[in-house]
Amino acid sequence: MLLTSTQHALLKSPFSSQSPSPSSFSPRFRMSSAGPALPPLPDNRIVVGCGSVTLDFLAAVATYPKPDDKTRSTSSKVQGGGNAGNALTCASRLGLQPRLISKVADDSQGKGILEELETDGVDSSFIVVSEGGNSPFTYIIVDDETKTRTCIHTPGYPPMIPDDLTESKLLAAVDGARLVYFDGRLHDTALVIAQEATRRGIPILIDAERKREGLDDLLSLSSYAICSAKFPQSWTGAPSVTSALVSMLIKLPNLKFVVVTLGEDGCIMLERSNENGLTEEVDVDELLVALKYKNDTKTTLPTCVASSEVKLHAKGIGTVGGRLLLGTAEKIPPSELVDTTGAGDSFIGAIMYALCTNMPPEKMLPFASQVAGINCRALGARTGLPRCSDPRLTSFLV
């Protein structure tokens, strides 16, 4: 890769990188004969989520069928799904105490959704159960050849409205919460919860997957945003991903960081810092190129490289103080990659754990990527979700 003189200068800045290795072990954790001890869970690990829950009907096929074709599945599974349900299930398996606000019907699918959540340690007592109607469900076809999935969703009925959540239920749900999370759905109800969380000083994490009705109101109250690959540019109109992240921090002054997930290409994070005292100003697009040059491309495990705190400038947009971080995804052997359904949800569940345990961003991004990578090795959004005791996570946690 040929670098400009500016990018060469950027490489001389005090970058920091993070990947799991013995040198990253913290001395405050006791070692045992079985290996390094895991960090203790925080006393307050209650997280509240509001969003979609579904029942997923998954079928894997050798190749995606053509119109009017008939084919047989290579494997199949029926399990709970939905962005919020998946992310909170991940958070629960990692050791947090999630509460979920959503709505299902009193049909067999709704009962199955609730039972599975409770079995996984997610508090479903705040989920509204309607008399009659239907619970949401999704058909998911997983293509073994292309490693892609196609989702056909049927929404639940009747839809959730703010009046479904009584004031007493709302107050009980957010009581003692360390973090509130929204997947962007049920926007009217979510906004009521977000406003109460804001009044109590509870930070908000938002999943900005795509433009949705009411999403802007939730973004304006959010402390942290996790975006899909196309969202930042779609929402801001900026010419590049990194300039779009700068634009988001300028437009959304409450945001402490924004992360854009890029699938097998990893993720990019822009973390805000106070501009006071920062003298160096760099072009954010050139800084990303320099980070890519610095990144370790040989390891198969997720890594992260970060810039120093500088003034990040985006041409035609503005400047914000902060750090740019580039995280890689796990390089999963094709023979081990089964299904990417729920990969983004598991990434968010791991981010929730990282925030509740005060994990620094340099460790948070590789940890979340590893959790997502582990989950891609099984059919369905929840089958492969790991627990903190999983040996594949140990080096990311100590």
Side-chain angles (χ1 to χ4, degrees):
M1 179 189 298
L2 295 177
L3 302 181
T4 67
S5 58
T6 301
Q7 290 159 356
H8 274 296
L10 291 173
L11 285 175
K12 297 177 182 179
S13 300
F15 288 106
S16 62
S17 62
Q18 181 72 40
S19 60
S21 66
S23 62
S24 66
F25 293 167
S26 170
R28 67 188 179 92
F29 300 125
R30 291 183 292 114
M31 306 290 288
S32 69
S33 58
L38 296 178
L41 289 167
D43 292 333
N44 180 7
R45 51 186 187 275
I46 297 172
V47 293
V48 178
C50 174
S52 66
V53 289
T54 71
L55 194 65
D56 288 350
F57 297 86
L58 296 120
V61 294
T63 57
Y64 193 83
K66 296 179 180 179
D68 210 30
D69 267 3
K70 294 182 179 179
T71 189
R72 293 189 177 187
S73 63
T74 57
S75 58
S76 62
K77 184 177 289 291
V78 179
Q79 69 174 189
N83 295 106
N86 296 337
L88 291 184
T89 296
C90 177
S92 178
R93 292 198 189 177
L94 293 173
L96 302 185
Q97 297 174 334
R99 299 168 179 168
L100 177 57
I101 300 172
S102 192
K103 188 172 185 176
V104 298
D106 60 352
D107 52 14
S108 60
Q109 294 177 352
K111 293 175 183 176
I113 290 171
L114 296 178
E115 288 174 359
E116 185 174 343
L117 289 169
E118 288 291 343
T119 299
D120 254 316
V122 178
D123 184 348
S124 66
S125 64
F126 300 98
I127 295 179
V128 177
V129 181
S130 67
E131 295 183 6
N134 67 274
S135 297
F137 61 93
T138 305
Y139 295 115
I140 301 175
I141 303 173
V142 179
D143 187 338
D144 291 338
E145 183 179 38
T146 62
K147 306 297 184 182
T148 57
R149 82 284 189 276
T150 301
C151 302
I152 307 169
H153 179 64
T154 300
Y157 185 85
M160 189 170 192
I161 58 176
D163 287 346
D164 287 334
L165 186 66
T166 64
E167 183 178 3
S168 60
K169 279 279 191 180
L170 167 63
L171 298 179
V174 300
D175 184 47
R178 181 157 182 161
L179 181 70
V180 173
Y181 149 73
F182 301 107
D183 69 3
R185 295 172 175 83
L186 310 179
H187 61 275
D188 289 332
T189 302
L191 182 58
V192 173
I193 300 166
Q195 290 168 340
E196 180 62 30
T198 300
R199 280 193 288 270
R200 294 175 178 233
I202 304 171
I204 294 171
L205 170 67
I206 183 75
D207 175 6
E209 183 181 29
R210 62 172 64 94
K211 290 183 178 180
R212 300 182 189 275
E213 185 179 357
L215 180 62
D216 286 5
D217 292 331
L218 295 175
L219 278 168
S220 68
L221 297 174
S222 295
S223 308
Y224 316 102
I226 310 295
C227 306
S228 63
K230 296 180 180 180
F231 180 84
Q233 288 178 265
S234 172
W235 191 75
T236 64
S240 68
V241 173
T242 43
S243 62
L245 299 184
V246 171
S247 180
M248 288 185 70
L249 287 194
I250 292 173
K251 293 174 183 290
L252 301 167
N254 290 326
L255 274 188
K256 296 179 179 179
F257 70 64
V258 56
V259 176
V260 56
T261 58
L262 304 171
E264 63 182 12
D265 293 325
C267 60
I268 303 170
M269 173 178 175
L270 185 55
E271 180 187 33
R272 187 192 301 274
S273 62
N274 195 326
E275 285 191 54
N276 294 335
L278 298 179
T279 57
E280 184 181 7
E281 181 173 309
V282 300
D283 180 88
V284 70
D285 290 329
E286 292 192 355
L287 180 57
L288 178 63
V289 174
L291 285 174
K292 289 181 178 178
Y293 183 82
K294 184 76 174 179
N295 212 1
D296 183 0
T297 59
K298 296 180 180 179
T299 180
T300 59
L301 293 176
T303 61
C304 178
V305 60
S307 75
S308 58
E309 291 186 359
V310 293
K311 291 182 179 179
L312 296 160
H313 178 71
K315 295 176 182 176
I317 294 173
T319 302
V320 66
R323 294 195 303 157
L324 192 68
L325 297 93
L326 176 65
T328 64
E330 182 188 5
K331 296 180 177 64
I332 305 174
S335 60
E336 297 180 19
L337 180 60
V338 176
D339 180 16
T340 59
T341 302
D345 301 332
S346 57
F347 184 92
I348 290 175
I351 293 291
M352 283 191 261
Y353 173 89
L355 289 172
C356 289
T357 55
N358 299 315
M359 191 179 291
E362 292 90 340
K363 293 191 68 173
M364 176 178 70
L365 296 183
F367 170 70
S369 293
Q370 180 69 359
V371 169
I374 291 172
N375 195 41
C376 290
R377 288 173 162 85
L379 182 64
R382 302 182 187 176
T383 308
L385 289 174
R387 302 184 185 277
C388 276
S389 56
D390 191 310
R392 293 171 292 184
L393 292 179
T394 301
S395 58
F396 294 85
L397 290 169
V398 295

